[in-house]
Amino acid sequence: MDQVKEMLFQNMNGRRFAEISRQSGSGFARDDVGRTLIGGDIDNDGDIDLVVTNNGGAVEVLRNTGGNARNSIEIRVVGTRSNRDGLGTRLTVTAGGRTQVREIKSGSSYLGQNDLRAHVGLGEAARVDRIDVRWPAGQTESIRDVAANQIVTVTEGKGQTSQSPFAR
């Protein structure tokens, strides 16, 4: 059976994907059989890094060192009435005329778990107009006018409880 190398695809303006493995570093040049793909901001710099487990091989950490040409925000939720990790929380983020939805969930890949923080790309928008939070227990709340390029913590029933800029 032929092995398939790890591949990376880039979204091209929401219309198509381009395969960019060759120019994306040595982590995509090997012919390994990947089993788990975990995404998260390992170094808290505002971009998504990857961890890959390989069948019969070593774990690979693929740090995204391409820089941050555009803005983003990461949202951590803490449940009080709902579960502590906020699993099932639905976030609706509006910034720069666009609305995006993220849901906090577990069990992301084979024996792996993505970062529980929601990462939202903002493009050129320097601020988030509004974050609507719908908690699993049914409560809803909104946070307005939040600066981009930071990690924001939202605690159920208390709104935004902390923020810290990305480590750039």
Side-chain angles (χ1 to χ4, degrees):
M1 179 165 83
D2 291 336
Q3 293 182 345
V4 177
K5 72 179 184 107
E6 295 168 349
M7 300 174 77
L8 182 65
F9 292 87
Q10 180 178 13
N11 184 330
M12 307 301 287
N13 297 320
R15 294 199 165 95
R16 63 182 180 88
F17 289 88
E19 202 272 324
I20 60 167
S21 304
R22 289 183 186 203
Q23 62 264 36
S24 298
S26 61
F28 294 95
R30 294 186 290 274
D31 289 331
D32 294 325
V33 179
R35 287 291 179 242
T36 305
L37 175 64
I38 301 167
D41 188 1
I42 294 170
D43 48 9
N44 293 325
D45 66 350
D47 55 30
I48 300 297
D49 307 296
L50 302 174
V51 176
V52 179
T53 65
N54 294 299
N55 192 23
V59 171
E60 298 174 71
V61 176
L62 305 174
R63 282 199 51 237
N64 184 346
T65 59
N68 299 321
R70 296 204 167 86
N71 298 316
S72 65
I73 192 165
E74 291 178 12
I75 305 164
R76 177 178 174 256
V77 297
V78 178
T80 55
R81 283 187 54 218
S82 301
N83 62 83
R84 171 95 175 137
D85 290 327
L87 298 175
T89 300
R90 186 177 180 92
L91 302 165
T92 304
V93 179
T94 303
R98 292 183 57 191
T99 299
Q100 300 180 63
V101 176
R102 299 289 185 273
E103 188 167 304
I104 307 302
K105 57 186 176 180
S106 65
S108 307
S109 188
Y110 176 73
L111 299 177
Q113 171 62 52
N114 285 337
D115 192 344
L116 288 176
R117 297 176 294 186
H119 180 274
V120 181
L122 303 175
E124 301 300 324
R127 303 195 72 73
V128 172
D129 301 317
R130 181 177 171 147
I131 302 170
D132 293 318
V133 183
R134 189 180 77 207
W135 297 96
Q139 181 178 354
T140 60
E141 53 192 299
S142 295
I143 297 123
R144 296 180 187 276
D145 194 30
V146 180
N149 302 319
Q150 64 178 334
I151 301 166
V152 172
T153 300
V154 178
T155 302
E156 187 174 18
K158 298 179 182 176
Q160 183 178 332
T161 53
S162 73
Q163 63 187 40
S164 60
F166 292 144
R168 293 190 172 181

